[in-house]
Amino acid sequence: MDVKKIQRILEQLADVNEQLVSLSDDIWLGIDHRDNESVIEGSKFIQDYNLATSQLSKAAATVEQQLLTYFKIDIESVHSIIEQGDDNEIKNQRMIKELDRSKAYSLNDNFTYKRPYGFVLKGIAYTNITTWKAVYLKVLHVLYEMSPTDFSTLLTDKRFISKRGNPLFTKDLKKLRVAQSLPAGFYTEVNMSANSIKDTLLQILAYFSIDEKEMKIYLREDRDA
């Protein structure tokens, strides 16, 4: 079996899943919040829809694991390798120059139905990114390498626990809809829309005292235009 074929299928699956999760945000914004009946009907639909997309995300994760196990493929082989410029200043400047040929977006922009290609964080460029999940996990990895001790405190900080008691970071897999392991030894939720991810990143950067202006996003659509 061609590994690249599996890689393309998994990337398409991840992209469709992210688009479906983002659709929830779009539907909610389209509800007339002045009409109580519309709010009640819309809220019920969103709850059912979010449950369905959560189940799909879990199924997608299971399918990926089954494929990797059956074909004895390392997970790194089917995920696009993120290119980064932190190991060479000349390479980093070249990457930033290439990214700046298209529009740079801030974390305050709307990314519904948009696909990422790269980002710059604290002057370091990262490219060849295909999903918002990959953006999120890469930023977390960078922050962990910057300060493992501070990163470990994300696990217990109340800012990352919802009003309903749902954690963003935990050691208990059962508390997350779709979990992703982190190098710090715990897990994070990854079943989020593009806008949920960027809002979460804003919160996390603030936690690490990093100005939001230190991060710029570049979209695949702008490169393909």
Side-chain angles (χ1 to χ4, degrees), residues 86-109:
D86 60 345
D87 57 345
N88 185 294
E89 180 61 26
I90 295 176
K91 173 185 175 182
N92 187 57
Q93 290 304 316
R94 173 183 58 77
M95 291 172 64
I96 292 175
K97 185 177 181 179
E98 179 186 350
L99 285 171
D100 281 338
R101 291 176 181 172
S102 56
K103 181 180 178 180
Y105 296 82
S106 78
L107 288 173
N108 289 304
D109 285 307

Short mmCIF file of all heavy atoms in Angstrom, two decimals, residues 86-109:
data_model
loop_
_atom_site.label_atom_id
_atom_site.label_comp_id
_atom_site.label_asym_id
_atom_site.label_seq_id
_atom_site.Cartn_x
_atom_site.Cartn_y
_atom_site.Cartn_z
N ASP A 86 13.68 27.21 13.09
CA ASP A 86 14.36 27.51 14.34
C ASP A 86 15.80 27.02 14.40
O ASP A 86 16.54 27.36 15.32
CB ASP A 86 13.58 26.94 15.53
CG ASP A 86 13.41 25.43 15.46
OD1 ASP A 86 13.64 24.87 14.37
OD2 ASP A 86 13.05 24.84 16.49
N ASP A 87 16.19 26.19 13.43
CA ASP A 87 17.54 25.63 13.47
C ASP A 87 18.54 26.39 12.59
O ASP A 87 19.73 26.10 12.63
CB ASP A 87 17.51 24.16 13.04
CG ASP A 87 16.90 23.97 11.65
OD1 ASP A 87 16.26 24.92 11.16
OD2 ASP A 87 17.08 22.88 11.07
N ASN A 88 18.04 27.34 11.80
CA ASN A 88 18.93 28.05 10.88
C ASN A 88 18.33 29.42 10.56
O ASN A 88 17.24 29.51 10.02
CB ASN A 88 19.10 27.22 9.59
CG ASN A 88 20.10 27.83 8.64
OD1 ASN A 88 19.86 28.91 8.09
ND2 ASN A 88 21.21 27.14 8.42
N GLU A 89 19.05 30.48 10.91
CA GLU A 89 18.53 31.84 10.75
C GLU A 89 18.29 32.18 9.28
O GLU A 89 17.28 32.80 8.94
CB GLU A 89 19.50 32.84 11.37
CG GLU A 89 19.05 34.30 11.25
CD GLU A 89 17.72 34.58 11.93
OE1 GLU A 89 17.38 33.85 12.87
OE2 GLU A 89 17.02 35.52 11.50
N ILE A 90 19.19 31.79 8.40
CA ILE A 90 19.03 32.09 6.97
C ILE A 90 17.78 31.38 6.43
O ILE A 90 16.97 31.96 5.71
CB ILE A 90 20.28 31.66 6.17
CG1 ILE A 90 21.49 32.50 6.61
CG2 ILE A 90 20.04 31.81 4.67
CD1 ILE A 90 22.79 32.10 5.95
N LYS A 91 17.64 30.12 6.80
CA LYS A 91 16.47 29.34 6.39
C LYS A 91 15.20 29.97 6.94
O LYS A 91 14.19 30.09 6.23
CB LYS A 91 16.60 27.91 6.89
CG LYS A 91 15.37 27.05 6.66
CD LYS A 91 15.55 25.68 7.31
CE LYS A 91 14.29 24.85 7.21
NZ LYS A 91 14.44 23.54 7.89
N ASN A 92 15.24 30.41 8.19
CA ASN A 92 14.06 31.02 8.82
C ASN A 92 13.64 32.28 8.10
O ASN A 92 12.44 32.50 7.84
CB ASN A 92 14.36 31.32 10.29
CG ASN A 92 13.13 31.79 11.05
OD1 ASN A 92 12.11 31.10 11.09
ND2 ASN A 92 13.21 32.97 11.65
N GLN A 93 14.60 33.13 7.75
CA GLN A 93 14.28 34.37 7.05
C GLN A 93 13.72 34.09 5.65
O GLN A 93 12.83 34.79 5.18
CB GLN A 93 15.53 35.26 6.96
CG GLN A 93 15.97 35.83 8.30
CD GLN A 93 14.88 36.63 8.98
OE1 GLN A 93 14.17 37.42 8.35
NE2 GLN A 93 14.71 36.42 10.27
N ARG A 94 14.25 33.04 5.01
CA ARG A 94 13.74 32.66 3.70
C ARG A 94 12.28 32.19 3.81
O ARG A 94 11.45 32.55 2.99
CB ARG A 94 14.60 31.54 3.12
CG ARG A 94 14.04 30.95 1.82
CD ARG A 94 14.88 29.80 1.31
NE ARG A 94 15.02 28.71 2.25
CZ ARG A 94 14.06 27.81 2.49
NH1 ARG A 94 12.91 27.88 1.86
NH2 ARG A 94 14.27 26.84 3.35
N MET A 95 11.99 31.43 4.85
CA MET A 95 10.63 30.94 5.06
C MET A 95 9.66 32.08 5.35
O MET A 95 8.55 32.11 4.83
CB MET A 95 10.61 29.91 6.21
CG MET A 95 11.31 28.60 5.88
SD MET A 95 11.49 27.50 7.32
CE MET A 95 9.74 27.17 7.67
N ILE A 96 10.10 33.02 6.18
CA ILE A 96 9.25 34.17 6.50
C ILE A 96 8.99 35.01 5.26
O ILE A 96 7.86 35.46 5.01
CB ILE A 96 9.89 35.03 7.61
CG1 ILE A 96 9.90 34.27 8.94
CG2 ILE A 96 9.14 36.36 7.77
CD1 ILE A 96 10.60 34.98 10.07
N LYS A 97 10.03 35.20 4.46
CA LYS A 97 9.89 35.97 3.22
C LYS A 97 8.89 35.31 2.28
O LYS A 97 8.05 35.98 1.66
CB LYS A 97 11.25 36.12 2.54
CG LYS A 97 11.22 37.00 1.30
CD LYS A 97 12.62 37.17 0.71
CE LYS A 97 12.60 38.07 -0.51
NZ LYS A 97 13.97 38.24 -1.08
N GLU A 98 8.94 33.98 2.21
CA GLU A 98 8.02 33.24 1.36
C GLU A 98 6.58 33.37 1.89
O GLU A 98 5.65 33.59 1.12
CB GLU A 98 8.41 31.76 1.32
CG GLU A 98 7.47 30.93 0.46
CD GLU A 98 7.76 29.44 0.54
OE1 GLU A 98 8.79 29.06 1.11
OE2 GLU A 98 6.93 28.66 0.03
N LEU A 99 6.42 33.25 3.20
CA LEU A 99 5.09 33.38 3.79
C LEU A 99 4.51 34.77 3.57
O LEU A 99 3.32 34.93 3.29
CB LEU A 99 5.16 33.09 5.30
CG LEU A 99 5.32 31.63 5.72
CD1 LEU A 99 5.59 31.53 7.22
CD2 LEU A 99 4.07 30.82 5.35
N ASP A 100 5.37 35.78 3.67
CA ASP A 100 4.90 37.16 3.55
C ASP A 100 4.50 37.56 2.13
O ASP A 100 4.04 38.68 1.91
CB ASP A 100 5.97 38.13 4.08
CG ASP A 100 5.97 38.20 5.60
OD1 ASP A 100 4.94 37.87 6.21
OD2 ASP A 100 7.01 38.58 6.18
N ARG A 101 4.65 36.64 1.19
CA ARG A 101 4.14 36.90 -0.16
C ARG A 101 2.61 36.86 -0.17
O ARG A 101 1.98 37.37 -1.10
CB ARG A 101 4.69 35.86 -1.14
CG ARG A 101 6.19 36.01 -1.41
CD ARG A 101 6.69 34.88 -2.30
NE ARG A 101 8.12 34.98 -2.55
CZ ARG A 101 8.85 34.06 -3.15
NH1 ARG A 101 8.24 32.94 -3.57
NH2 ARG A 101 10.13 34.22 -3.33
N SER A 102 2.04 36.23 0.85
CA SER A 102 0.58 36.21 0.99
C SER A 102 0.21 36.95 2.27
O SER A 102 1.08 37.33 3.07
CB SER A 102 0.06 34.77 1.03
OG SER A 102 0.68 34.03 2.05
N LYS A 103 -1.06 37.15 2.47
CA LYS A 103 -1.54 37.96 3.60
C LYS A 103 -1.32 37.25 4.93
O LYS A 103 -1.52 36.05 5.06
CB LYS A 103 -3.03 38.24 3.42
CG LYS A 103 -3.64 39.09 4.54
CD LYS A 103 -5.11 39.34 4.28
CE LYS A 103 -5.72 40.14 5.42
NZ LYS A 103 -7.18 40.40 5.20
N ALA A 104 -0.89 38.03 5.93
CA ALA A 104 -0.75 37.51 7.29
C ALA A 104 -2.00 37.85 8.08
O ALA A 104 -2.53 38.95 7.99
CB ALA A 104 0.48 38.13 7.96
N TYR A 105 -2.48 36.89 8.85
CA TYR A 105 -3.69 37.07 9.67
C TYR A 105 -3.32 37.00 11.14
O TYR A 105 -2.37 36.33 11.53
CB TYR A 105 -4.73 35.99 9.35
CG TYR A 105 -5.26 36.04 7.93
CD1 TYR A 105 -4.55 35.45 6.89
CD2 TYR A 105 -6.46 36.67 7.64
CE1 TYR A 105 -5.02 35.49 5.59
CE2 TYR A 105 -6.94 36.71 6.34
CZ TYR A 105 -6.22 36.12 5.32
OH TYR A 105 -6.70 36.16 4.03
N SER A 106 -4.12 37.67 11.95
CA SER A 106 -3.91 37.61 13.39
C SER A 106 -4.87 36.58 13.99
O SER A 106 -5.81 36.11 13.33
CB SER A 106 -4.16 38.98 14.03
OG SER A 106 -5.55 39.23 14.17
N LEU A 107 -4.68 36.28 15.26
CA LEU A 107 -5.56 35.33 15.93
C LEU A 107 -6.93 35.93 16.24
O LEU A 107 -7.80 35.24 16.77
CB LEU A 107 -4.90 34.84 17.23
CG LEU A 107 -3.71 33.88 17.05
CD1 LEU A 107 -3.05 33.60 18.40
CD2 LEU A 107 -4.16 32.58 16.40
N ASN A 108 -7.12 37.17 15.89
CA ASN A 108 -8.43 37.80 16.07
C ASN A 108 -9.29 37.72 14.80
O ASN A 108 -10.43 38.17 14.80
CB ASN A 108 -8.27 39.28 16.49
CG ASN A 108 -7.75 39.40 17.90
OD1 ASN A 108 -8.33 38.88 18.84
ND2 ASN A 108 -6.62 40.08 18.06
N ASP A 109 -8.74 37.15 13.74
CA ASP A 109 -9.50 37.02 12.50
C ASP A 109 -10.42 35.80 12.54
O ASP A 109 -10.29 34.93 13.42
CB ASP A 109 -8.54 36.91 11.30
CG ASP A 109 -7.92 38.25 10.94
OD1 ASP A 109 -8.67 39.21 10.74
OD2 ASP A 109 -6.67 38.33 10.86
#
